[in-house]
Amino acid sequence: MPASPSPRAAPALAVRPAGERALLLETAGTTEAAALHRTLSAVPLPGQVEAVPAARTVLLRFATAAQARQAAGPAALLEPGNGQERGADTPLVELPTIYDGEDLDDVARLTGLGSAQAVVQAHAAALWTAAFCGFAPGFAYLTGGGRQLEVPRREEPRTTVPAGAVALAGEYSAAYPGVSPGGWQLIGRTSAALWDLEREFPALISPGTRVRFVPVRERVQVSEPAAQQTPRAGAHATGTGTGTEPVFRPAATVLAAGPLATVQDLGRPALSHIGVSRSGAADRSALLRANRLTGNPPGAAGLEVLFGGLHLRAEQDLVLAVTGAAAPLRIVLPDGAERTAGVDRAFVLRAGCHLALGAPAAGLRSYVGFRGGLQATPVLGSRSTDTLAGLGPRPLRPGDLLGVGGDPGTAVGHPETPPPLPGEATTELRYIPGPRQDWFGAEGTSAFESRTWTVGERSNRVGIRFEGEALTDRETGELASEAVLPGSVQVPPSGLPILFLADAPVTGGYPVIGVVVEADLDTAAQLRPGSAVRFIPTAPAG
């Protein structure tokens, strides 16, 4: 049985607040962070629900704010090096690798090894260990190559790196699970299925896994993993897309999808350690309200609709509710007559009738709840569409068929009064300073709080990109990758903040000046481009 975390006489770790229910533990380096993650995975602190390792830190997320506060003292006294040491029983993965990467000669020059063959020999001889995952599901940052293989990232990142590419950057090596952009130095390729949703545990490599790259000469065929391919409509409709999903009687046909309509539930919690973010509804309170109104359990899946434009035809009698953004609802009867329906209340859409959502008068995202819940093949326990990672059903298209589950056996809810939606006035978002507030100093923090920021046009489910007068009082240099949360406000070198939303990446490389409180994230999800925002500092509740 693993030993319990051992206290020290003096603090060994820097403990930084990360919002209401999380702590960021900072160690001396990657080896210490990996050891600390093993310790906390084996013997969690009270209330700990997730531990996410990164380059020099471990993010701990707790069930309650009180548990996070209570854990701060004991966490500071942990010994980073104490924990379950790697041994022969640690999983070993061998990756067959053809060393023919475009950057081999550059790596030979940058490392001083002198030849591509010397690079190959050094890379294949090393026993690598996965320190943490991030960037994409199943993308593992491997350590163990030593100083001889340290190289900088490319000056100009590639727009496309192929699936299976083997690469180096800084002190790390990695193999790309799927096609993506990237700035690492490419030295080879592997045919191994690094991420496969057909496996019980999709990630071939997870934190702690030992990895050896085995040179091979024969030609390999690298195919894009299933998780990165675009799911067919059947994945979220009648179940006929792949032949493996249960078949549902069609409940509705999508006639128009608007700018973006996706299936969402409450997401995929506690999978950040393998590079999978929570995702789920951007405005969680609106989805929960739609489920209450239709008599569904809280986690039932519905539709998230960006700025209206959705048009459905009912193929059977449906009980629906629309919440979130104040979209006008138009019902067209089979004889062509029209009537309207109200938001935040349950209503019946008879077979053959059409429902159209217009552009909302306020807010950005509407939620359509279906009694019985939308049926889709769960991916890692959730039916949510993750637009960044490419997990879950693809966005809706005209002609898609939607299926619903059986009657949940509970009564529909009474009409509800929703919270106010953001309007023309400046929206105030409360935030908890840290974990990297010290990168900005007193003047930088004051400027962040005193300025009015404007929601930019490039905002999406991943995050809100703000425009305005850039922050200039900021430390120079690079921050090693560390875990981020929905609500984190990251400030890149441009000085313009980014507020992460539901499809936030698992890790980020820019300092987080603060984390917006969870109660205000639903409001943030309804902000339109052009909206004015102020960030108001607050202390954790309680």
Side-chain angles (χ1 to χ4, degrees):
M1 181 174 179
S4 299
S6 301
R8 290 168 55 97
L13 302 171
V15 179
R16 300 171 179 268
E20 299 159 280
R21 296 190 293 124
L23 301 172
L24 188 71
L25 311 186
E26 186 173 14
T27 71
T30 303
T31 300
E32 292 82 0
L36 181 62
H37 177 254
R38 291 194 298 273
T39 296
L40 290 165
S41 297
V43 187
L45 294 173
Q48 175 186 319
V49 297
E50 188 172 25
V52 187
R56 294 179 175 83
T57 59
V58 178
L59 181 80
L60 296 183
R61 193 167 58 82
F62 294 85
T64 68
Q67 289 168 330
R69 290 195 306 275
Q70 293 163 4
L77 299 177
L78 294 176
E79 167 56 65
N82 281 359
Q84 183 179 354
E85 298 299 324
R86 294 189 297 268
D89 59 341
T90 305
L92 173 64
V93 171
E94 294 187 341
L95 300 181
T97 304
I98 293 181
Y99 285 98
D100 61 355
E102 299 175 37
D103 301 322
L104 260 178
D105 290 338
D106 287 340
V107 170
R109 175 179 54 82
L110 290 167
T111 58
L113 289 172
S115 70
Q117 186 58 36
V119 173
V120 172
Q121 290 175 348
H123 190 263
L127 181 60
W128 301 86
T129 301
F132 62 98
C133 293
F135 176 65
F139 187 99
Y141 292 74
L142 308 176
T143 61
R147 298 290 298 272
Q148 64 176 342
L149 287 174
E150 289 188 14
V151 291
R153 288 176 170 81
R154 289 170 52 88
E155 291 184 6
E156 186 68 30
R158 290 180 171 88
T159 57
T160 301
V161 174
V166 174
L168 291 166
E171 64 181 292
Y172 304 108
S173 186
Y176 283 72
V179 177
S180 71
W184 290 36
Q185 308 279 357
L186 304 186
I187 61 172
R189 53 198 167 98
T190 180
S191 59
L194 300 163
W195 178 263
D196 186 355
L197 290 172
E198 297 299 317
R199 290 194 295 247
E200 181 178 358
F201 193 74
L204 181 63
I205 303 170
S206 57
T209 302
R210 297 176 300 156
V211 177
R212 194 177 293 281
F213 292 89
V214 180
V216 295
R217 293 184 180 276
E218 60 268 26
R219 181 177 178 83
V220 297
Q221 181 67 39
V222 180
S223 59
E224 188 178 352
Q228 301 299 323
Q229 296 170 355
T230 301
R232 295 175 58 183
H236 64 250
T238 59
T240 59
T242 65
T244 60
E245 305 93 346
V247 176
F248 301 100
R249 176 188 171 193
T253 299
V254 178
L255 303 179
L260 179 68
T262 57
V263 177
Q264 299 295 341
D265 56 20
L266 296 181
R268 303 177 179 87
L271 292 174
S272 295
H273 63 290
I274 59 170
V276 177
S277 68
R278 185 191 73 192
S279 191
D283 183 344
R284 293 163 68 86
S285 65
L287 177 64
L288 290 169
R289 195 160 64 251
N291 280 328
R292 286 196 302 270
L293 291 167
T294 52
N296 289 332
L303 292 182
E304 179 180 282
V305 182
L306 182 71
F307 207 66
L310 180 71
H311 190 173
L312 304 176
R313 181 180 65 236
E315 306 299 341
Q316 57 179 278
D317 290 351
L318 300 173
V319 176
L320 307 176
V322 179
T323 61
L329 307 181
R330 181 169 56 94
I331 294 175
V332 182
L333 305 180
D335 62 5
E338 296 187 9
R339 63 182 178 86
T340 60
V343 297
D344 290 288
R345 63 183 62 228
F347 62 92
V348 175
L349 187 70
R350 298 292 183 186
C353 294
H354 294 203
L355 172 67
L357 275 66
L364 184 65
R365 294 178 169 92
S366 300
Y367 293 82
V368 184
F370 295 73
R371 183 167 175 80
L374 279 182
Q375 296 302 294
T377 303
V379 175
L380 299 177
S382 170
R383 295 178 169 87
S384 286
T385 299
D386 185 328
T387 59
L388 179 64
L391 296 178
R394 60 157 169 75
L396 297 189
R397 298 173 184 166
D400 285 347
L401 300 177
L402 305 178
V404 297
D407 192 315
T410 55
V412 298
H414 293 292
E416 297 190 20
T417 301
L421 290 164
E424 295 182 1
T426 299
T427 297
E428 294 185 345
L429 297 178
R430 296 167 294 169
Y431 85 103
I432 297 170
R436 297 294 178 184
Q437 183 190 21
D438 53 343
W439 273 59
F440 302 89
E443 290 186 13
T445 301
S446 175
F448 172 70
E449 295 170 356
S450 63
R451 290 175 187 169
T452 297
W453 302 96
T454 302
V455 176
E457 294 284 347
R458 294 189 299 148
S459 303
N460 53 28
R461 278 181 49 87
V462 176
I464 298 175
R465 294 177 177 269
F466 289 99
E467 300 171 351
E469 183 183 352
L471 297 177
T472 56
D473 186 8
R474 176 187 183 277
E475 283 190 24
T476 58
E478 293 188 5
L479 177 71
S481 293
E482 57 191 29
V484 295
L485 298 161
S488 297
V489 183
Q490 191 179 75
V491 183
S494 68
L496 298 176
I498 300 170
L499 167 57
F500 286 130
L501 298 179
D503 287 352
V506 171
T507 58
Y510 302 125
V512 172
I513 194 171
V515 181
V516 171
V517 300
E518 294 176 24
D520 287 1
L521 274 182
D522 295 334
T523 299
Q526 296 293 356
L527 290 168
R528 300 183 182 190
S531 298
V533 173
R534 289 278 300 275
F535 290 96
I536 308 300
T538 187

